[in-house]
Amino acid sequence: MKLKNKVAVVTGAGRGIGKTIALALAKEGAKVVINDVNFELSQMVASEIKKKNREAIALQSDVSNSIEVTNMVDEIIKKFKKIDILVNNAGIMQSISVEKMTEENWDKMMAINLKGVFLCSKAVMKYMKKQKSGKIINISSLAGKSGGIMVGANYSASKAGVIAFTKSLARELAPYKINVNAVAPGTADTDMAKLFSAEQRRKIIDAIPLGRFANPEDIANAVVFLASNRADYITGATLDVNGGLLMD
Ligand code: NAP
């Protein structure tokens, strides 16, 4: 097991990619904190993990709310005494033109997808700095590199921000042996991707060299690698998991 006795927090882990990441980290031996705004979903994921004789707890908090994030981290420290791995996965997506986009659309996207990454990273890094180790993995998107064709510019901009934030934080935390990396998935088959029409889905698949959407497991595998000591010399990187749709 690559992550035995590590304590990992995964935000937005009640369903989709976050849930799959949480299950994969638990399989590798990590004690996993399942965060989500939807407490019922996170409790279900935590019990699924516990049924497999692994340790997990569910905590409800909105990643865009600094008080809720601080309370969540305080509770994790009270229970586990440390945090080794943070996966900033919680996110929302909107498929909307700039012409129709409201200021509220913009602000909500930035609050969850970008400020949430900042708040959760800031809350855990003081503990990681003290222990002089840690892995922060931010889930960005192919759209954050290519601009995205089916998603709103607010989504693409938030995910580009995640990549830039990852690089800056990687520099800031390198002296403390804390690795900060991003994963940029192409379209993955989750509830989020169900927002695309059948025609949009077909168009995307036709353009992917590997001929299919990502499975959440494809993304979880990349996260497990970046969370492990096999990635100790990787920081500030963005790992593409996009079936070859964008090669740069
Ligand atoms: P999803 O199925 O919509 O799941 C997202 C989870 O995040 C949900 O459980 C949601 O809770 C939770 N969440 C939303 N806002 C939150 C908040 N403020 N605080 C805490 N949790 C919150 O999405 P997904 O497809 O698994 O995507 C996960 C991540 O991968 C996102 O960052 C997304 O941008 C990124 N990504 C996805 C794709 C894709 O094609 N699916 C591609 C590239 C990148 P609710 O259940 O209450 O909504």
Side-chain angles (χ1 to χ4, degrees), residues 80-123:
F80 293 114
K81 314 279 180 266
K82 61 171 189 163
I83 299 177
D84 300 296
I85 299 158
L86 166 67
V87 184
N88 281 309
N89 164 82
I92 56 167
M93 194 270 276
Q94 287 165 351
S95 204
I96 187 170
S97 66
V98 173
E99 196 175 10
K100 292 194 177 136
M101 195 177 292
T102 62
E103 191 177 347
E104 195 192 353
N105 290 143
W106 179 270
D107 288 346
K108 187 174 179 196
M109 184 65 67
M110 293 303 153
I112 297 174
N113 287 15
L114 189 52
K115 189 171 96 172
V117 174
F118 154 65
L119 290 177
C120 293
S121 302
K122 187 174 164 66

Side-chain angles (χ1 to χ4, degrees), residues 15 17 36-37 62-63 89 140 155 159 185-188 190 192:
R15 59 191 169 99
I17 295 169
D36 207 281
V37 266
D62 175 345
V63 295
N89 164 82
S140 175
Y155 179 80
K159 293 299 186 177
T187 306
T190 64
M192 194 176 267

Side-chain angles (χ1 to χ4, degrees), residues 3 8-30 32-34 45 49 85-90 137-140 183 185 215-225 227:
L3 304 174
V9 191
V10 185
T11 66
R15 59 191 169 99
I17 295 169
K19 174 182 174 178
T20 309
I21 291 170
L23 293 171
L25 294 172
K27 194 172 172 197
E28 291 300 332
V32 188
V33 179
I34 313 296
V45 178
I49 291 175
I85 299 158
L86 166 67
V87 184
N88 281 309
N89 164 82
I137 299 140
N138 301 322
I139 307 300
S140 175
V183 174
N215 296 317
E217 287 76 13
D218 295 318
I219 297 147
N221 288 338
V223 171
V224 168
F225 165 66

Side-chain angles (χ1 to χ4, degrees), residues 118-178:
F118 154 65
L119 290 177
C120 293
S121 302
K122 187 174 164 66
V124 304
M125 64 189 245
K126 63 177 176 189
Y127 299 103
M128 290 181 171
K129 276 171 86 168
K130 267 190 215 145
Q131 69 203 34
K132 283 210 175 331
S133 68
K135 308 276 186 198
I136 298 177
I137 299 140
N138 301 322
I139 307 300
S140 175
S141 169
L142 169 67
K145 294 180 121 187
S146 71
I149 36 171
M150 312 278 183
V151 295
N154 53 346
Y155 179 80
S156 306
S158 72
K159 293 299 186 177
V162 167
I163 293 174
F165 179 80
T166 298
K167 291 176 185 172
S168 296
L169 190 64
R171 282 184 205 285
E172 185 176 332
L173 296 182
Y176 305 92
K177 297 192 173 24
I178 300 166

